Every structure is written in C-alpha cells, then in structure tokens.
Amino acid sequence: MAAHAEEAQNDEVRNAAAGDGVGDVMVETDQVSAVETESDDEATVDDVVQKTPSVPASADDVAESDDEDDEDDEDYLVEEGEIAGDYLEQLLDVLDFDGDIDLDVEGDRAIVSIDGGDDLAKLVGRKGEVLDALQELTRLAVQQSTGERSKLMLDVAGWRAKRRTELGNLGAEAARRVLESGEREELTPMTPFERKIVHDAVAKIDGVASESTGVEPARRVVVVKA
C-alpha cells in the first residue's frame, strides 16, 4: 500500500514537472513568434517603400516640358539678337554707315544682318575678313552682357547668304567629279563656316565623303570616294 502511494506521488511529481516544461516551451515559442512577426512586419513595410515604383511623367508632361525649354532657348536667342542689334547700331553710328538691322533665329543661333546701306561692302572686306572680325566683336559684346559665349551669325549685305549658295554648289560639283573619277580632290583653304557648308553639300551625295585637313588658316576640305 505504501509502495503504491509512493509510486503515485512520484507520477504526480513527474507529470507536474513535465507540465511545467511544456508550458515554458510554449511561452518561449510564443515570444519567439511574436519577435519574428514584428520583424516580418518591419521588413514588409521597408519592402513596400523600396519597391513602390515612382510614377513616370506622362507624355503630355514631357511634351510640355520640352515646349517650355524650346521657348526658353528661343527667348534667349532673341535676347542675344537684340543685344547684338544695339551694339551694331552704335558701331554704325560711330563709323558713319547707314544700314537696316534685321534679327532672326535659325536653329540654335541668333541671326543678325545689316542691309540697305551704301558702301556696306567695306564691312565685308576681302573674302569676308572684315565681316568675320566684326562678327567676333559682336559675339564678345553679347557675351559681356549675358555671361555666355554666343554663336550668333552676322551677315552684311547678304554676303554670307550668297557665299553659302556658292559653296554649296562647289561642294556638290566636287563630289560629282570624285564620284566619276574615283580620285580625291582638295579644295582651297576655307574658314570653318565655309568648310561646314561644303561638308553638308557633299554629305547629300551618295558614294562620296569629305574631311578637313591642314592647319588654320590653310585648313581645307578634301573630297574622297566612300
């Protein structure tokens, strides 16, 4: 009897001990789960923030922005032309030359021209040398006012317009000769402005190409078969 009572008491002790252990394990497991859940919640928020895509600008927004940039660029070029016009008016007064000043915008540069006066050829000079110098002075006057280097183009008495036509024809004719003969052809030395016109003319004809060679002021265009 006593043995049975002692054995039953031992079983109760073992069951109690086992019960306490399970409870401890359950408590610890719940605590770990709670910590993991909190960590997962934080990671999920971070992931959402990091993975949320930015809203792209619509095509209309991009187009509107481009239009505004174009308007700003044109306004700036118009301002360049006006500054140049004021400078040239004062210069003409000092030199006692008559002439009408016209302002325009072409591509990425302001275009300023002086027309309608007598003896304007004196402002062009031999092969446009005086005109080139006058253009550079005008660019410097604009730069002094705006703080930005200017690429404006100055023409006097339509000299550059006529020269552009002549050089375009020259480049096209040279390209056709090279295309027929297959032999390279060197043109006379030209200014950067003149060489660009020739390059553009040659580029319009298939089968030929052009390049510049030499050192200023003897730099020239060479036309070759492509």
Side-chain angles (χ1 to χ4, degrees), residues 3-180:
H4 287 300
E6 183 177 355
E7 184 177 352
Q9 186 176 5
N10 290 337
D11 289 339
E12 290 176 1
V13 171
R14 285 195 297 270
N15 289 336
D20 291 344
V22 171
D24 292 340
V25 172
M26 290 179 64
V27 170
E28 292 174 0
T29 301
D30 290 341
Q31 290 173 345
V32 172
S33 297
V35 171
E36 290 176 350
T37 301
E38 182 179 356
S39 176
D40 288 343
D41 289 341
E42 292 176 355
T44 301
V45 172
D46 291 340
D47 290 341
V48 170
V49 172
Q50 293 176 5
K51 295 180 180 180
T52 300
S54 58
V55 179
S58 67
D60 290 340
D61 291 339
V62 173
E64 183 177 352
S65 177
D66 290 342
D67 290 342
E68 291 176 354
D69 290 342
D70 291 341
E71 290 178 1
D72 290 342
D73 291 343
E74 185 170 352
D75 290 343
Y76 176 75
L77 294 176
V78 170
E79 180 185 0
E80 274 197 356
E82 291 175 347
I83 295 170
D86 292 340
Y87 171 77
L88 290 170
E89 281 185 357
Q90 296 177 26
L91 185 61
L92 290 176
D93 288 340
V94 171
L95 298 176
D96 196 22
F97 275 85
D98 293 327
D100 299 323
I101 298 177
D102 294 324
L103 310 176
D104 198 3
V105 172
E106 182 179 306
D108 61 345
R109 68 177 67 202
I111 306 296
V112 183
S113 58
I114 304 175
D115 294 293
D118 296 331
D119 297 329
L120 287 179
K122 295 179 181 178
L123 298 180
V124 175
R126 179 178 174 273
K127 295 183 178 181
E129 293 174 349
V130 176
L131 175 57
D132 288 340
L134 185 58
Q135 176 177 271
E136 189 60 28
L137 287 174
T138 306
R139 287 178 174 178
L140 291 173
V142 172
Q143 181 177 352
Q144 185 178 21
S145 179
T146 65
E148 300 289 337
R149 180 161 178 78
S150 173
K151 298 190 299 182
L152 72 83
M153 184 71 69
L154 174 64
D155 196 4
V156 174
W159 186 86
R160 287 198 195 279
K162 296 174 185 176
R163 186 64 174 154
R164 184 181 286 110
T165 300
E166 293 172 356
L167 291 170
N169 293 335
L170 176 66
E173 291 170 0
R176 283 191 286 268
R177 288 194 297 269
V178 171
L179 194 60
E180 292 175 359

Side-chain angles (χ1 to χ4, degrees), residues 189-195 212-220:
M190 300 178 186
T191 65
F193 164 76
E194 294 172 331
R195 292 196 302 270
S212 294
T213 184
V215 180
E216 300 290 2
R219 193 164 175 80
R220 66 188 66 208

